[in-house]
Amino acid sequence: MSEDVFIVGAGIHPFGRTPGMTGLQQGVFAVRQALERAGLAWSDIQFAFGGSDAAGNADTMVSELGLTGIPFINVSNGCATGGSAMFGAYSAVKSGAFDLGLAVGFDKHPRGSFSPLPADWGLPDWYGETGLMLTTQFFAMKIQRYMALYGITPRTLGAVAEKAFANGVLADHAWRREAVDLDTILDSQMVSDPLTKFMFCSPGEGAVALVLASGKKARELGLPAVRLRAAAVRTRPPGSFEVFSPALDVERGGSPTTVAARAAYEMAGVGPEDIDIAQLQDTEAGAEIMHMAENGFCADGEQTGWIAEERTRIGGALPVNTDGGCLACGEPIGASGLRQVYENYVQLIGRAGARQAPGKLRLGYSHVYGAPGVSAVAIVER
């Protein structure tokens, strides 16, 4: 049996820093908000998939939400944890086994950059000793190569960050809610050439919960809902060059994003030209640029024109990262991918407030990317 899957409720704990509140408590906040907005009780939920990287096991939330005995699956998949939790929840409803479930993600990271250990990722010590475990260095090298190949300039990188902070001003859940002008972004401290401090996101805190329902259950509830047309998770193919990859093949292949995007488009029966709004992984400004092409929205190198013409702004032809993305919201790993779907959900039902994209939005696209080369893509429809 293959059920239609709908998102019928969503909750979010603001991203940033919340002293005195654990990541787990932020997750509980998001779940309770999602349930309240959907007019549901925790006892109505039949299963849950949840993820956190640094704030504990998601299934321990039942101690606060209630001991109902439901299956609660912990998910850990790098920065793609949230997207992977949603894939699990989507698959559970799609199978026909359940009518009502939950995808939740939360995190609470310490200040400073992530500090992964080579052995945890199947890598030798020398990989870390060269500095390659520091993701700021890896992504800087990757965008340098891309810029050389396709003529992307630092000014285009800066424009991506400028848009992100402008959108963040309008999003009440964003961490960075102050606009930053282009010259300030370009002239700020260089972190890893060509990326300045305003071109990187920061590890942070936050939580998101999504309530998923079968078509029958969604009709019974009569709530504003979006149909989850596709949810795909893919790992890296041969010849790809991803974070924590120990070498670059001479013969280049695709990427986990191109593979996941292709699968999601096929599953949904649509193409990139049909998408009305997109949320793309932007842990740094170069990532959004590269992911525009990897997800099929433009050809490599066309990003310069798109961004100069403001086509990715909220009022543009394809609004991208309308809540400011990771650059403005920060990245709590467990919640980040679900925040993207939350943003598409509120945009498609017309409840995004000051950042609401104009026109009738039908299809929303989200993409999250994590180490060691995992991408999750979701397509939702109003």
Side-chain angles (χ1 to χ4, degrees), residues 340-365:
Q340 297 176 324
V341 183
Y342 171 92
E343 178 65 11
N344 280 339
Y345 169 77
V346 297
Q347 287 281 349
L348 264 60
I349 65 173
R351 295 184 179 176
R355 67 186 185 281
Q356 181 67 51
K360 186 176 181 180
L361 304 177
R362 185 175 76 91
L363 289 170
Y365 185 99

Side-chain angles (χ1 to χ4, degrees), residues 36-70:
E36 181 181 0
R37 288 175 174 176
L40 296 168
W42 172 245
S43 58
D44 296 320
I45 300 299
Q46 299 170 341
F47 71 90
F49 283 77
S52 166
D53 178 74
N57 293 328
D59 69 313
T60 59
M61 297 170 70
V62 299
S63 296
E64 296 209 30
L65 293 169
L67 303 178
T68 60
I70 69 167

Side-chain angles (χ1 to χ4, degrees), residues 131-144:
L132 290 173
M133 290 302 291
L134 189 62
T135 54
T136 52
Q137 181 168 305
F138 169 83
F139 286 121
M141 291 192 303
K142 189 169 185 177
I143 191 60
Q144 274 190 3

Side-chain angles (χ1 to χ4, degrees), residues 244-289:
F244 301 160
S245 295
L248 175 63
D249 290 355
V250 174
E251 294 294 328
R252 294 302 305 278
S255 73
T257 295
T258 58
V259 179
R262 191 179 307 119
Y265 287 132
E266 183 177 350
M267 191 182 302
V270 301
E273 68 279 1
D274 299 310
I275 302 300
D276 298 306
I277 187 170
Q279 318 298 328
L280 305 179
Q281 180 82 348
D282 63 332
T283 42
E284 36 81 25
E288 179 173 320
I289 289 171

